[in-house]
Amino acid sequence: MDVGSRNAHQRRERDRTLAVLHALMELGSGPHSFRSIANRTGLDDSDVHRRLRQLFQAQLCHRPHYGHWELRPAPASPTGAPAGLVHPSTTPLLGAALLLEGIHRRTQQVVLLHTYSPVSGERLCISAVGTSGPRFRRELALVPEAVDQLCRAPLDSDAPGLAMLANLAGQDVPLRDDLRRIRSAQVAVTDSPLPGWDLVSTPVRRLPGAPAVPGAEPRVVAAVSILAPHRTRGDALVAYGRLLRNAVLAAVETSVVIARPRFAATKAA
């Protein structure tokens, strides 16, 4: 099997697993029968069984009793984000959370997901991973106003907002020099609201696991950022930018849900 065929096979495998994950997310909290899950995927029963076992092994779901499955609840405090850091959101974030956790495992740094409000022109933090480290907690406690500023701030304040702002304008719209450089590199680096820490951000054009709509995707929907102490300046920040960009591209490219159009077509028929 050549590299192209192997990559296509891996995408199909991940798409089918994500189709089962999305079925569980759509059904909501609580245990659900195998049949109700399978009916939402368009996959064979044996394939759905296999995907559920994969999700179980990844600790994303569990079987409370025979023939029924449910999503595992999100971990509660004290390992959760500091109060006020994450803005309430109704956006399904399970696929994005896996991306953030993967970046955190590789860097051991705080990882943030911001989206933006077209109404207020602010960037809003809707998910955070790796926030339980003692140094981060201690320094955040010394500058409590940084919590609100990390959570929400004007788009042009720092790296997450600038990464989105540079990609929200059309290709024919003139940009400031800094935004033009950010759009070209697809990475923004600035100081953060927390003194002594930097933000490295890359834009996200589609949240991992969200269905792709060819020809109708927005220019940008979010930004993923690494929040790192100043000591990681220079080559490390460049490496973080490259890691972010590649991780986001890989997560989005391998998370297209192919079962959802099939299911919709079946219903229409």
Side-chain angles (χ1 to χ4, degrees), residues 154-171 173-190 203 205:
L155 275 174
D156 60 356
S157 296
D158 49 28
L162 291 170
M164 292 185 280
L165 193 59
N167 290 275
L168 283 170
Q171 292 294 329
V173 176
L175 292 175
R176 299 183 333 223
D177 288 346
D178 61 332
L179 293 179
R180 190 166 60 249
R181 288 192 296 270
I182 290 169
R183 177 185 280 182
S184 175
Q186 292 296 286
V187 174
V189 181
T190 67
R205 300 185 182 279

Side-chain angles (χ1 to χ4, degrees), residues 6 26 31 48 50 59 69 71 95 100 111 114 126 154 157 163 179 181-182 192 194 204 213 231 264 269:
R6 184 167 64 250
E26 288 174 343
V48 175
R50 184 156 66 93
Q59 299 185 350
W69 299 80
L71 289 174
L100 302 192
V111 186
H114 287 86
I126 57 173
S157 296
L179 293 179
R181 288 192 296 270
I182 290 169
S192 84
L194 182 61
V204 179
V213 182
R231 61 179 170 76

Side-chain angles (χ1 to χ4, degrees), residues 5 10 23 44 46 161 172 185 195 211 219:
S5 299
Q10 290 173 343
D44 295 338
S46 60
D172 55 345
R219 296 185 182 95

Side-chain angles (χ1 to χ4, degrees), residues 83-156:
L85 179 61
V86 176
H87 190 273
S89 172
T90 58
T91 304
L93 295 176
L94 193 48
L98 295 176
L99 168 64
L100 302 192
E101 288 164 5
I103 295 170
H104 171 65
R105 281 196 300 271
R106 295 180 66 179
T107 65
Q108 295 302 300
Q109 303 287 6
V110 177
V111 186
L112 307 173
L113 176 66
H114 287 86
T115 187
Y116 68 94
S117 167
V119 177
S120 67
E122 294 177 310
R123 54 123 179 97
L124 304 170
C125 180
I126 57 173
S127 187
V129 173
T131 60
S132 60
R135 177 178 178 180
F136 175 69
R137 291 279 184 154
R138 181 177 64 251
E139 297 192 17
L140 201 61
L142 294 173
V143 192
E145 62 271 19
V147 176
D148 185 60
Q149 293 166 1
L150 283 167
C151 177
R152 60 189 305 158
L155 275 174
D156 60 356

